[in-house]
Amino acid sequence: MDAIRNFWTMHFSWLQLPTLSIRWTDILEIIILSFFIYHFLIWVRRTRTWVLLKGLLVLVFFVSLAYIFEMDTIKFLITRGMDVAMVAAVIVFQPELRRALEQLGEQKLLSNLMSFDGLKDIQERFSDKTVDELVKGTMAMARVKTGALIVIEKNTPLTEYERTGIQVDAIVSSQLLINIFEHNTPLHDGAVIVRGNRVTSATCYLPLSDNMELSKELGTRHRAGVGISEVTDSMTIIVSEETGKVSIAENGRLLRAVTEEELWQHLTVTQDKSVESQKFKLWKGKGKG
């Protein structure tokens, strides 16, 4: 029996848990850390940082394999390139980091932190009426060759592109869209961003695609539509000012000369895409189940 006890003490003494002493400050510290970690994850989810972090997780996985299987050459390269990687990470995340610092100086920061329904807007989908209004407005502009660029948000937030335009925050309607893109009006130049059933911003600037496979006859409007679809999962409706034809940009691809029926089908697919909704609020009462 003594031999067994000695063997256990020698090899498994590290399994013995120390006596825990929990103070009220420890509980408060856990609450504070949980609060800020939660809102950090919300911030990550609301920006493109989420996409970039998923790529970093893949790299971390392969780096872990290199260390597990003792791949000396890869370990040497990782060690030498760590400083460069840290600088590169700051450069890659620069827009998101700048926006986070800007939010620290905003007076409404506390109210934003207290709201736990931050994912609601990201995961909403539009109604049948919005589909009809989008189709009606697009085809009306196509018939008179009014150029238009309508970006429909899906899961990836378009907040950083909204800030480049003018806030509208109005219910989607065909009359509103036609009015916005009418020639010589203050809001006609740029893109409109639609989230859920509302037009959030107009005259927004979008990143241009550098895809060399796109036709040379396409102008800035089409390249902007493809560009935003390359960096987000949005769906973009484009009306050509020269030909009046309707195009759809999605997942970095451009579908040209879309008919009214095809446009309606694409919008319906986007509308019916399954999403997991979170509608709880901490300080504002219980949301829908």
Side-chain angles (χ1 to χ4, degrees):
M1 181 63 69
D2 292 336
I4 296 176
R5 186 181 298 107
N6 292 335
F7 177 82
W8 177 268
T9 303
M10 182 180 301
H11 296 282
F12 298 99
S13 58
W14 58 274
L15 290 176
Q16 297 177 0
L17 296 177
T19 303
L20 296 178
S21 176
I22 301 177
R23 301 169 299 171
W24 71 268
T25 53
D26 297 328
I27 298 176
L28 180 61
E29 187 176 13
I30 292 173
I31 294 174
I32 293 174
L33 288 175
S34 302
F35 182 81
F36 282 101
I37 290 173
Y38 174 83
H39 285 285
F40 171 76
L41 294 176
I42 292 292
W43 171 72
V44 168
R45 184 65 181 86
R46 289 178 63 89
T47 64
R48 286 189 301 161
T49 311
W50 178 249
V51 180
L52 298 175
L53 282 179
K54 287 192 290 186
L56 289 178
L57 288 176
V58 175
L59 292 178
V60 169
F61 172 74
F62 285 107
V63 169
S64 302
L65 290 181
Y67 277 88
I68 291 173
F69 294 104
E70 296 294 333
M71 301 177 182
D72 295 331
T73 304
I74 296 179
K75 288 168 59 179
F76 173 79
L77 293 175
I78 292 171
T79 303
R80 294 298 181 183
M82 189 62 66
D83 295 337
V84 177
M86 294 298 293
V87 175
V90 173
I91 295 174
V92 170
F93 291 105
Q94 183 266 338
E96 286 76 16
L97 292 173
R98 184 179 62 184
R99 179 55 184 164
L101 292 176
E102 289 175 353
Q103 288 180 342
L104 290 177
E106 293 179 357
Q107 295 182 354
K108 58 183 180 180
L109 174 64
L110 185 59
S111 62
N112 288 338
L113 291 178
M114 292 303 178
S115 175
F116 272 63
D117 59 347
L119 293 181
K120 179 182 176 182
D121 289 340
I122 298 174
Q123 297 174 334
E124 279 183 346
R125 282 297 181 265
F126 41 85
S127 63
D128 292 336
K129 184 178 185 299
T130 298
V131 173
D132 294 337
E133 295 295 332
L134 286 170
V135 173
K136 186 192 301 184
T138 299
M139 291 305 161
M141 290 185 287
R143 283 191 290 269
V144 295
K145 295 185 179 180
T146 299
L149 189 57
I150 306 171
V151 184
I152 302 171
E153 184 183 272
K154 291 185 183 178
N155 293 327
T156 304
L158 302 176
T159 309
E160 61 181 285
Y161 303 105
E162 289 179 30
R163 294 198 298 268
T164 65
I166 297 174
Q167 185 177 4
V168 177
D169 192 22
I171 296 293
V172 174
S173 67
S174 58
Q175 295 89 343
L176 175 63
L177 295 174
I178 294 171
N179 238 0
I180 289 176
F181 290 110
E182 184 62 37
H183 294 287
N184 301 322
T185 57
L187 301 181
H188 85 283
D189 191 19
V192 157
I193 293 180
V194 175
R195 177 184 297 123
N197 297 310
R198 305 188 73 84
V199 175
T200 61
S201 297
T203 70
C204 299
Y205 294 104
L206 305 180
L208 299 181
S209 173
D210 56 1
N211 185 355
M212 300 304 295
E213 296 182 0
L214 291 176
S215 175
K216 299 298 182 183
E217 66 184 31
L218 297 176
T220 304
R221 183 176 287 111
H222 288 80
R223 287 194 171 273
V226 176
I228 189 66
S229 72
E230 291 173 341
V231 297
T232 69
D233 63 350
S234 60
M235 171 186 171
T236 304
I237 302 172
I238 309 161
V239 180
S240 173
E241 191 172 352
E242 289 75 23
T243 64
K245 292 182 179 179
V246 178
S247 301
I248 293 176
E250 203 167 11
N251 300 321
R253 295 188 295 271
L254 184 67
L255 181 61
R256 303 178 64 183
V258 174
T259 64
E260 182 175 349
E261 179 65 24
E262 289 173 335
L263 175 60
W264 185 85
Q265 290 175 354
H266 275 81
L267 288 170
T268 302
V269 170
T270 302
Q271 175 194 23
D272 290 342
K273 183 177 180 180
S274 60
V275 292
E276 181 181 354
S277 179
Q278 292 182 341
K279 297 184 179 179
F280 61 89
K281 302 179 181 180
L282 181 63
W283 306 110
K284 301 178 182 179
K286 189 180 298 183
K288 295 180 180 178

